Amino acid sequence: MVTKKCRDTRNALDTYPSKGRNTASNALSATNCGPRAPRSNTHVTASYFDVDGTLVRTNLMHTAIYYMANQINPLRSAKSLARLALRAPQLIWSELRDRRTFNEQLFECFAGMSEDRLVCLADDTYNFAMKEALFTGARDLISRCKAEGHEVVLISGALDFLLERLAADLGADHWVGNRLEINDEHCTGKLVRPVVAGPTKARLIVEHARTKGHDLAECFGYSDSYSDVPMLSVVGRPAAVNPDAALLRLAHAYQWPVIRLDKAA
Amino acid sequence: MSNPNIVYLDKNSAPRVMFSGDSIIEVDLPVGTRCIYPKPPVDGLKDVDAAIRYAVNHPFGCEPLYAKLRPGMKVVIAVDDISLPLPPMRRPDIRARVLNIVLDMLDEHGVEDIEIIIAVAYHRHMKEQEIKRMVGDRVFNRFWPDRLYNHDAEDPEQLAYLGKTDAGEEVELSKAAVESDLIIYVNLNLVPMDGGHKSVGVGLCSGRTLAAHHNPQTMMEGGSYMTPEDSGMHRSVDRIGRFINKRLNIFHIESTVNNRMFDGNLEFLAKNPDDYSSFEKFKLRSTLFALDRLPQAARQEIFDRYRAPYAVTGVFAGETEECHKHTVAKCYEQYLVDVKGQADIQITGIPYISPYNVGAFLNPVLVQVLAQGYFHNLHRGRPLLKEGGTIIITHPCSDRFDHEQHAPYTEFFHKILTETSDDFELHKRYERKFSRNPAYIRMYRHGHSFHPNHPFYMWYWGTAGRKHQGRCIVVGADNEYVPRILGYETAPSMTEAIRMAKETAPEDPQITCANYTPIMMTQVS
């Protein structure tokens, strides 16, 4: 287990707004998304990527488990993991019904965690849950999109500070992710609205494309999950990446390209 | 003396037997219809291995292979892919035989740095089992996967730019081939279009080089692309090939096969139904009964598993052009059927297979490739059909596309072709943008999908045919919209199709039924 002492609480406070300030409904103006670097609006089109299962083989559970397993002391870690385990049936039920509810319930396990803990474990969590779990073909696909002049956008239910690191690593232009609500320097266990999941991703993509002047019919979308069908449906060029069974069936029905990124590039 | 390959139907003639996709049908044609059948298979070589050894030791236009070898040199062996022959031939594949003999020779001369590249260009990458079957267990076990692999025309690290021809064609080839001391190309020549400069110049090139000739303008220039001496595409390919030959050391080994596509229960398909024996009539009835009752997936599975009993008729080696003219002559010897006069109405069955759907369903774009592409071009001199004449084809034209091999075809057919079917507009407005879809490129590079450019090329493959043919009427289509997108008319029966065709034909039209399965070429006088 990794334990890391927090050193820079000021940075964490800057990163997370206090409760009551994070009511933005427009994802583009909300703080849970952002550009990696300023860019001129010269892209011909955009490529929207889901992350968990699409570019990395892990999912939100890995992030949650990593944080729970790396609490300030082993006793607290054991308690957090036990609490998460007890919630497993509820989470499975939620996952089967609605991805957004699943995200909200999963991140409730962060309730009470200090903000600086979140930040000081961010790099390790990113390495564990994303960097080391990156599919071999992910970089190749993103590079190809960049080479074609696409604006690359990561849109995921993952936490924003992890997405920021992933975007920097992959060279993505923009990311949209979930943000934990902070009150008195501690997580409330709630997510800042809008919760990025399912149909909300589609709405955020439409808004992003409108803002950036992209023609959605020319935009590309990549996801592995049936829950992202709304997101894949709003773009003109969807693709199923390492798809689950339901998405594979749909991709075959609609003749969407099906690609695998778990093969060596 | 009458031509044994041409039959004029009378009132006692049996119904004609032809393919309609993965079904076989019988059709009654009008009295007086001219039916053209392929020549019987040319005899195969008695000792193929001896012929290969003789060819590489007595090449045309250059020194023998052994004289080119020296210890420590780097050799790249490029091999034709699974797109031919059709159907795939029974083991041992001629390419495996050639490879075994060549590799033994390389071993004897101390050549150890050897790579084998499947020259797929923008075709789908061959699967592991297909490669194993084609090159044989011995070669596969020794070289796969590090030194035996599919050419990747989309990997900049695998490509090397050679320059431009005098006509401005850009030449970019496999870097391994360019950096080698010797390229040995192992070809299997099914039709005269294959081989020659097309082997290295197309099989190992990138999209930059393909764009020089796989475009509507070049495809329309000259005559049939099955007669390399007339074809605009081959003029460009030859320029590129000569440019390459000045810079690289290439040794060709080309082989030809006869037209024995079928034996056993399906051998009757190559014959005039009037000449069927009682046993062949029984086999026909059994085949019709079985195919009629089987679901489509089962029919496709049966045909996919079928392996053709081709016999090797010639092996030629040496310098590109000197060697290839012998190969083309051997092809003509097997395929050319002399025909007097063109037809006003041509009737042709469309089979289940083309070079681009081995192991997959023949999708609508590929139906077009056969009807307006290959079967139109299988002639030397004048086309079989008069300009502005009507071709009648038999095929279900089902709206089906193989998910693995033909994903880009689906979008091309349903999104692009429904906007325009004009070759030049497709080339100028749509091709570049469509073919840069990262998902499709990923499917080509790391899966078994044709490159997203390929459906465009296949449409251009029919450019000359579409321009030449006045109308195309399809019999047996299971829907109306696929033929409409392809620019075809539909008819519920052959009788109705002929009636429709006669509406725009001269009085007392010349009706010809051309049987291209097995392959033949017409030479109209």
Side-chain angles (χ1 to χ4, degrees):
Chain A
M1 287 202 301
V2 179
T3 55
K4 191 170 180 178
K5 215 172 174 181
C6 187
R7 287 180 184 140
D8 186 4
T9 51
R10 186 63 256 157
N11 181 32
L13 287 169
D14 285 346
T15 311
Y16 284 84
S18 298
K19 188 179 180 184
R21 281 198 282 131
N22 47 22
T23 53
S25 59
N26 184 335
L28 295 171
S29 58
T31 45
N32 56 344
C33 65
R36 192 175 62 80
R39 292 185 67 101
S40 61
N41 187 17
T42 54
H43 297 293
V44 290
T45 189
S47 287
Y48 297 96
F49 284 89
D50 170 53
V51 173
D52 298 322
T54 304
L55 297 176
V56 298
R57 65 175 60 83
T58 49
N59 55 43
L60 300 179
M61 280 300 288
H62 291 81
T63 303
I65 289 171
Y66 192 85
Y67 267 105
M68 297 305 109
N70 290 284
Q71 293 288 308
I72 198 95
N73 61 55
L75 188 63
R76 194 176 288 186
S77 291
K79 268 175 67 182
S80 299
L81 285 171
R83 222 169 36 212
L84 188 61
L86 285 172
R87 294 176 72 95
Q90 187 188 6
L91 289 168
I92 292 168
W93 176 244
S94 302
E95 168 67 5
L96 293 172
R97 285 173 58 225
D98 171 26
R99 176 59 65 88
R100 181 187 142 163
T101 312
F102 170 84
N103 284 2
E104 288 181 318
Q105 289 179 346
L106 178 67
F107 288 116
E108 280 174 13
C109 69
F110 283 77
M113 187 181 292
S114 68
E115 188 183 4
D116 57 352
R117 189 82 202 149
L118 274 183
V119 174
C120 75
L121 279 179
D123 283 336
D124 289 337
T125 311
Y126 170 68
N127 286 335
F128 168 77
M130 289 189 167
K131 192 171 185 179
E132 288 170 13
L134 205 62
F135 285 125
T136 5
R139 286 182 196 281
D140 180 53
L141 183 59
I142 301 266
S143 305
R144 178 72 62 173
C145 295
K146 297 285 290 178
E148 296 301 329
H150 301 181
E151 180 181 15
V152 173
V153 181
L154 308 181
I155 181 159
S156 167
L159 294 172
D160 55 348
F161 53 86
L162 299 178
L163 281 182
E164 182 180 4
R165 286 163 171 79
L166 182 66
D169 201 357
L170 293 177
D173 301 291
H174 200 85
W175 72 93
V176 182
N178 277 320
R179 172 177 292 257
L180 290 165
E181 187 183 77
I182 304 291
N183 190 23
D184 289 339
E185 300 180 6
H186 285 79
C187 298
T188 64
K190 292 178 182 171
L191 292 172
V192 173
R193 306 286 162 168
V195 176
V196 183
T200 308
K201 283 188 182 176
R203 184 171 64 75
L204 296 174
I205 286 173
V206 171
E207 287 175 7
H208 178 268
R210 190 184 299 138
T211 308
K212 294 295 181 85
H214 298 312
D215 178 3
L216 270 174
E218 298 298 326
C219 287
F220 298 78
Y222 301 86
S223 180
D224 70 307
S225 170
Y226 187 76
S227 65
D228 283 334
V229 168
M231 158 188 163
L232 294 174
S233 301
V234 295
V235 295
R237 298 172 187 279
V241 183
N242 315 318
D244 58 32
L247 181 61
L248 182 65
R249 277 197 299 276
L250 193 83
H252 282 173
Y254 286 97
Q255 301 279 5
W256 291 346
V258 178
I259 56 178
R260 302 212 65 91
L261 294 184
D262 48 1
K263 292 182 181 175
Chain B
M1 186 180 156
S2 66
N3 187 333
N5 305 107
I6 296 178
V7 177
Y8 285 88
L9 302 187
D10 58 34
K11 60 183 180 180
N12 296 319
S13 296
R16 299 298 101 180
V17 176
M18 58 179 69
F19 272 104
S20 176
D22 47 31
S23 295
I24 292 170
I25 57 170
E26 287 183 299
V27 291
D28 284 312
L29 298 179
V31 169
T33 298
R34 175 176 63 176
C35 297
I36 309 175
Y37 289 94
K39 284 181 180 174
V42 169
D43 288 338
L45 298 170
K46 286 192 171 58
D47 188 339
V48 176
D49 288 347
I52 297 166
R53 286 193 190 91
Y54 183 86
V56 296
N57 290 331
H58 301 84
F60 297 102
C62 71
E63 58 193 343
L65 180 58
Y66 63 79
K68 289 175 175 283
L69 304 178
R70 61 178 189 278
M73 73 189 302
K74 178 180 169 61
V75 172
V76 162
I77 304 175
V79 190
D80 273 341
D81 73 349
I82 200 175
S83 62
L84 46 88
L86 299 170
M89 72 189 296
R90 288 178 191 163
R91 293 184 88 171
D93 193 296
I94 176 65
R95 287 162 286 205
R97 289 179 159 200
V98 173
L99 282 172
N100 282 331
I101 289 168
V102 167
L103 288 168
D104 284 346
M105 192 176 278
L106 295 181
D107 290 341
E108 287 163 12
H109 287 77
V111 179
E112 292 172 350
D113 189 356
I114 305 164
E115 284 185 31
I116 304 174
I117 306 175
I118 314 295
V120 292
Y122 272 2
H123 289 180
R124 73 172 174 91
H125 287 187
M126 285 178 67
K127 297 174 183 175
E128 187 176 337
Q129 282 307 312
E130 291 171 338
I131 293 174
K132 187 174 188 177
R133 200 183 166 281
M134 184 176 86
V135 302
D137 295 349
R138 187 180 145 204
V139 175
F140 184 86
N141 293 336
R142 181 175 163 192
F143 290 94
W144 177 266
D146 297 332
R147 293 190 295 149
L148 166 60
Y149 54 88
N150 290 292
H151 171 57
D152 184 350
E154 277 289 348
D155 183 358
E157 290 178 8
Q158 278 193 40
L159 298 168
Y161 186 70
L162 281 182
K164 279 185 183 179
T165 66
D166 293 340
E169 291 130 335
E170 295 195 286
V171 184
E172 191 172 43
L173 287 185
S174 154
K175 188 189 269 183
V178 169
E179 291 176 351
S180 69
D181 301 305
L182 173 65
I183 301 169
I184 301 171
Y185 198 98
V186 179
N187 150 275
L188 199 174
N189 226 85
L190 184 67
V191 286
M193 178 184 76
D194 307 326
H197 286 299
K198 192 167 173 282
S199 293
V200 173
V202 173
L204 293 178
C205 78
S206 73
R208 288 166 89 171
T209 307
L210 284 173
H213 36 74
H214 280 54
N215 61 66
Q217 184 60 44
T218 312
M219 297 304 287
M220 271 174 40
E221 289 169 1
S224 161
Y225 49 68
M226 291 294 173
T227 48
E229 63 272 23
D230 296 335
S231 145
M233 181 186 77
H234 280 87
R235 275 197 286 276
S236 172
V237 169
D238 289 351
R239 269 194 304 272
I240 291 168
R242 288 178 197 126
F243 179 88
I244 295 168
N245 281 10
K246 281 182 190 165
R247 288 154 181 82
L248 305 178
N249 184 17
I250 305 173
F251 187 86
H252 287 263
I253 304 171
E254 300 196 330
S255 51
T256 53
V257 290
N258 63 13
N259 67 351
R260 189 180 290 281
M261 290 174 85
F262 303 109
D263 66 353
N265 290 338
L266 292 175
E267 198 167 14
F268 61 83
L269 285 168
K271 293 175 67 176
N272 171 7
D274 296 321
D275 298 336
Y276 286 178
S277 65
S278 300
F279 188 47
E280 284 171 330
K281 285 178 186 167
F282 169 75
K283 285 196 280 194
L284 169 65
R285 296 261 75 82
S286 309
T287 307
L288 292 175
F289 180 85
L291 291 178
D292 198 36
R293 277 151 187 79
L294 285 171
Q296 191 281 325
R299 293 199 302 271
Q300 186 174 333
E301 186 66 22
I302 289 170
F303 282 119
D304 280 350
R305 284 171 180 269
Y306 181 78
R307 296 291 177 258
Y310 288 114
V312 178
T313 56
V315 183
F316 311 96
E319 188 274 333
T320 314
E321 291 179 20
E322 288 296 315
C323 153
H324 190 55
K325 64 186 180 190
H326 294 274
T327 309
V328 172
K330 201 73 187 174
C331 284
Y332 286 155
E333 180 190 333
Q334 172 64 82
Y335 298 134
L336 277 184
V337 175
D338 288 321
V339 178
K340 280 188 184 162
Q342 291 175 295
D344 296 301
I345 300 169
Q346 179 185 336
I347 300 165
T348 291
I350 302 292
Y352 63 96
I353 197 165
S354 79
Y356 317 110
N357 72 309
V358 176
F361 186 75
L362 187 88
N363 69 51
V365 180
L366 296 178
V367 170
Q368 173 270 161
V369 165
L370 291 182
Q372 279 71 48
Y374 278 79
F375 292 168
H376 168 74
N377 281 277
L378 277 167
H379 66 263
R380 189 180 191 191
R382 291 190 294 165
L384 178 61
L385 185 69
K386 282 180 190 165
E387 188 165 2
T390 300
I391 182 169
I392 300 172
I393 60 171
T394 55
H395 196 273
C397 288
S398 307
D399 183 4
R400 281 193 58 201
F401 295 81
D402 188 87
H403 302 302
E404 187 182 32
Q405 293 190 24
H406 298 141
Y409 276 76
T410 318
E411 189 180 343
F412 171 80
F413 183 76
H414 285 289
K415 271 193 186 169
I416 310 289
L417 268 190
T418 47
E419 289 187 29
T420 180
S421 57
D422 181 85
D423 306 76
F424 290 93
E425 202 179 345
L426 286 168
H427 181 57
K428 283 179 185 160
R429 279 187 54 203
Y430 294 92
E431 185 185 322
R432 160 82 195 158
K433 199 159 79 175
F434 182 89
S435 65
R436 302 323 300 165
N437 184 331
Y440 289 143
I441 292 174
R442 176 88 197 168
M443 290 179 83
Y444 158 77
R445 292 190 62 200
H446 300 283
H448 301 283
S449 169
F450 282 84
H451 191 279
N453 264 109
H454 204 260
F456 286 85
Y457 292 169
M458 291 302 94
W459 192 253
Y460 308 152
W461 228 232
T463 302
R466 263 190 303 280
K467 187 163 172 275
H468 181 87
Q469 297 166 358
R471 299 161 70 193
C472 178
I473 303 172
V474 58
V475 177
D478 62 16
N479 67 86
E480 291 286 330
Y481 66 94
V482 166
R484 195 162 52 240
I485 293 170
L486 293 172
Y488 299 167
E489 299 165 58
T490 53
S493 66
M494 184 60 76
T495 309
E496 177 63 9
I498 292 170
R499 188 198 64 72
M500 288 163 65
K502 281 181 175 175
E503 286 173 356
T504 50
E507 203 174 327
D508 194 19
Q510 210 302 313
I511 304 175
T512 296
C513 174
N515 186 349
Y516 291 106
T517 319
I519 298 170
M520 67 154 182
M521 288 177 68
T522 54
Q523 184 163 247
V524 179
S525 56

